[in-house]
Amino acid sequence: QVQLVESGGGSVQAGDSLRLSCAASGAPFRSYNMGWFRQAPGKGRAFVGSFTWNSISEYDDSAKGRFTISRNNDKNTVYLQMNSLRPEDTAVYYCAAGPGTGRSPGSYTVWGQGTQVTVSS
């Protein structure tokens, strides 16, 4: 069973950049499809982007053009590079893994603990 640990969150100003990391252990992440989600206070867990084991990526419109998912195969780590951050990006960010892909959290079976991102105006 794969385990996921997110890191890299913090408090930044609007317009700043931040890179989140999701380290996978217990199984090679090429065996899974990866997704990034975020959850703002009082809101559901919302899709940010996904990255399949065969390098197919997808982004929500709110992230497209600003966020980029990448991976380091040697470190078994997936990254979410976030540029031009906005206050509305404030949320707990989660990485997830599963046999499927898509915008629905139900498509993923393993979740990290989350990392807080706070963007101030």
Side-chain angles (χ1 to χ4, degrees), residues 7-21 36-38 48-49 59 62-70 79-86 88-94 115-119:
S7 62
S11 297
V12 298
Q13 297 293 315
D16 285 352
S17 297
L18 207 57
R19 188 180 72 167
L20 307 183
S21 299
W36 284 97
F37 292 79
R38 60 188 176 186
V48 175
Y59 299 94
S62 65
K64 193 177 302 180
R66 298 189 299 126
F67 294 2
T68 303
I69 300 174
S70 61
Y79 303 95
L80 179 65
Q81 178 68 45
M82 304 186 292
N83 298 325
S84 301
L85 284 163
R86 305 163 180 167
E88 52 263 41
D89 294 319
T90 296
V92 177
Y93 282 71
Y94 298 88
T115 185
Q116 176 71 47
V117 172
T118 302
V119 185

Side-chain angles (χ1 to χ4, degrees), residues 25 68 113:
S25 62
T68 303
Q113 85 288 351

